[in-house]
Amino acid sequence: MTLSWVAAKDLWELAEQKGKVLHEEHVDLLMEEFAFLKKEVVGKDLLCTAAPLEEEWFGFPAFSSISHLTWLVSLFGELSLRSATLEERKEDQYMKMTVCLETENKSPLTWIEEKAPGLKRNRCLSFHFRSGSLENMPNVGIDKNIFLKDQNIFVQQLLGQFSEEELAAKKKHILHCLWLAGEIQKHCCLKQ
């Protein structure tokens, strides 16, 4: 949507003033992988790690990889930032962002994004729970029509088929993710 929480908040206020629908595309939340993970991890105590990405990223990594942060918030609820570091070696074209988060019930969660030549674009997730681990993403099928599903959600919003509570929850979720990405960026920049 934007590269800052302030800009997103301003856009939402403008849309509300004009009587328009502001829609953030979240096709990652419509993927079969996410549906599988949501079923597997809800309610478990965890330590979570996600990495790496190969393709060029835009903006600070917490924003360019915001879909990963959106997954984490969708799976575990609002998160608090405990620490964040950014390691860059320009000569190697290497970047690694490590973010330590905490869930509302005080479970630790670690999010890692890495970028370097030769790193394949993967979504590597490793969930460690008190009751066991989920280390590999199973092949849950091809994500068909996720953009069509997202478009249908938008049309439903336009037709008023979402309650005020559902729309408020979606707005809160999106703004929390953008706010958290901004806090991660600030934290990393203070340490450099």
Side-chain angles (χ1 to χ4, degrees), residues 60 84-86 97 184-192:
F60 190 79
T85 59
L86 181 67
M97 180 185 71
I184 292 166
Q185 182 178 13
K186 284 183 208 170
H187 206 86
C188 287
C189 290
L190 288 174
K191 294 191 173 201
Q192 290 185 334

Side-chain angles (χ1 to χ4, degrees), residues 46-50 62 69 72 79-86 96-103 106-113 180 183-184 187-188 191:
L46 70 133
L47 169 66
C48 171
T49 303
L69 183 57
L72 296 175
L79 302 172
S80 301
L81 177 62
R82 294 294 164 233
S83 67
T85 59
L86 181 67
K96 180 178 182 181
M97 180 185 71
T98 304
V99 181
C100 296
L101 302 160
E102 189 174 79
T103 65
K106 305 298 182 200
S107 293
L109 188 147
T110 302
W111 172 33
I112 299 170
E113 291 290 336
L180 193 53
E183 292 300 303
I184 292 166
H187 206 86
C188 287
K191 294 191 173 201

Side-chain angles (χ1 to χ4, degrees), residues 11-60:
L11 283 173
W12 236 295
E13 289 172 6
L14 182 61
E16 288 169 358
Q17 288 171 8
K18 302 270 184 188
K20 303 294 181 187
V21 173
L22 182 62
H23 176 75
E24 169 71 11
E25 176 189 88
H26 276 303
V27 293
D28 278 13
L29 299 179
L30 303 173
M31 296 173 70
E32 296 296 326
E33 289 175 326
F34 179 75
F36 169 82
L37 283 175
K38 185 144 183 121
K39 189 176 93 181
E40 291 294 315
V41 306
V42 168
K44 296 181 181 177
D45 292 330
L46 70 133
L47 169 66
C48 171
T49 303
L53 288 179
E54 177 185 314
E55 63 187 27
E56 287 298 313
W57 41 277
F58 301 94
F60 190 79

Side-chain angles (χ1 to χ4, degrees), residues 122-138:
N122 288 329
R123 189 184 316 261
C124 300
L125 299 168
S126 177
F127 292 88
H128 302 281
F129 308 103
R130 291 183 190 197
S131 60
S133 294
L134 175 61
E135 303 256 1
N136 297 312
M137 183 69 78

